[in-house]
Amino acid sequence: VPNIALTRGGKLAEIAEKNNLPIVLLPESLTPRSSLGNFLGFVLTLLDLIGILDGKKILEEFVKQALLYIPKFEDESYFNDFLQVVEGHDFFHIWGVQQSSGAFAYRAQTQFNENSKIQAVTSYFPELNHNLLNGFAKFKQKPLVVLFSTEFLPASLNAAIDATADLLQEIGAVLYKPPVLGDTWEAQLFHMILWSDFASCYLGKKRGVDLKSVQLIEKLNVHRHYKELENLMELECLDNH
């Protein structure tokens, strides 16, 4: 498989040019996380051309989903039910299913982290049934679980999810299952992306936060930079002695 650089420019483009590697220049976007559509389109097209998978077919399904649901999602009232359920919560458990919706649940977590400024963490079936639930035995604030799953799961996993949902209701936790629409597995996964992107933005708006800001990450980078300088200065002092 050849090395191909997907970039907006900068250092990666310099390295690719120096090593005579193919470069795909991505269009400008407001934030790196909002360029997912561009990345998906280019990656799926490249994988199709290389012959690894039928990227064109998957991409067509994604485009179909986007054209169908984005107009609906642009109406904030579509998310009223979700916004009412999560009101007052600033810690989300985002659950997915390994080898199915797991990566897409993680994508949802990052969107709620960055757009909504929510403390969100991701866990996955079936692993979360082994020990995570023990942490729900005693709590002061009702835990909130946002569960992503498709209709294309083995019966055993569906049974585990249903039983876990019943247990959460029994102990008084809050469970929200976003609608996952589409006739195929790929369509339902892409619907998860669209839903979580819009839901996290509307929640951020309701919380009155700056959706584009990554203030704490920027502060972390500054602290890390100063720590690196301090370490270099200490090493230099030791060398001088």
Side-chain angles (χ1 to χ4, degrees):
V1 179
N3 292 315
I4 302 172
L6 276 71
T7 177
R8 279 271 298 119
K11 192 66 177 177
L12 180 58
E14 292 178 15
I15 295 173
E17 289 177 355
K18 183 178 179 180
N19 292 277
N20 295 317
L21 297 176
I23 302 174
V24 176
L25 289 175
L26 296 169
E28 184 176 359
S29 36
L30 289 175
T31 62
R33 60 186 178 274
S34 62
S35 63
L36 179 66
N38 293 328
F39 271 103
L40 277 176
F42 283 116
V43 169
L44 288 171
T45 300
L46 288 171
L47 293 176
D48 189 279
L49 292 173
I50 295 170
I52 294 178
L53 52 74
D54 192 348
K56 182 180 179 181
K57 180 180 178 181
I58 297 174
L59 189 57
E60 288 175 348
E61 187 67 59
F62 286 175
V63 171
K64 177 182 175 183
Q65 289 291 104
L67 293 174
L68 180 62
Y69 292 113
I70 286 179
K72 298 179 181 180
F73 291 173
E74 287 178 338
D75 181 358
E76 186 175 349
S77 65
Y78 185 92
F79 294 88
N80 280 347
D81 179 56
F82 166 74
L83 294 173
Q84 290 172 5
V85 169
V86 305
E87 187 173 3
H89 291 268
D90 57 10
F91 189 101
F92 288 12
H93 291 271
I94 309 290
W95 289 0
V97 181
Q98 285 176 327
Q99 298 181 345
S100 177
S101 58
F104 295 82
Y106 176 70
R107 161 75 182 180
Q109 175 214 300
T110 63
Q111 295 304 91
F112 283 112
N113 289 152
E114 295 192 315
N115 292 332
S116 311
K117 307 302 182 285
I118 287 291
Q119 303 166 61
V121 294
T122 318
S123 302
Y124 311 103
F125 284 96
E127 181 61 31
L128 67 84
N129 282 148
H130 294 163
N131 47 41
L132 175 66
L133 290 178
N134 290 320
F136 286 62
K138 184 178 181 180
F139 49 80
K140 293 181 179 180
Q141 182 183 15
K142 290 184 178 181
L144 170 69
V145 175
V146 181
L147 171 60
F148 293 91
S149 64
T150 72
E151 297 174 351
F152 299 88
L153 294 177
S156 58
L157 266 177
N158 276 324
I161 291 172
D162 290 342
T164 304
D166 290 342
L167 178 61
L168 290 175
Q169 183 177 14
E170 179 183 322
I171 65 176
V174 179
L175 175 64
Y176 186 84
K177 292 183 177 180
V180 180
L181 308 178
D183 299 328
T184 66
W185 180 67
E186 292 85 0
Q188 292 188 6
L189 293 178
F190 191 65
H191 184 271
M192 291 182 196
I193 294 178
L194 293 177
W195 185 92
S196 60
D197 283 9
F198 277 86
S200 63
C201 287
Y202 287 130
L203 180 58
K205 177 183 174 184
K206 187 171 183 178
R207 286 167 56 83
V209 300
D210 182 351
L211 274 63
K212 294 187 291 183
S213 171
V214 287
Q215 185 179 15
L216 291 182
I217 296 296
E218 290 171 349
K219 284 186 177 181
L220 174 63
N221 290 334
V222 170
H223 286 303
R224 185 166 55 191
H225 175 69
Y226 280 115
K227 287 294 182 184
E228 290 172 351
L229 287 178
E230 287 176 359
N231 292 335
L232 289 173
M233 290 173 66
E234 288 177 5
L235 290 172
E236 186 176 336
C237 289
L238 288 173
D239 290 340
N240 290 335
H241 289 296

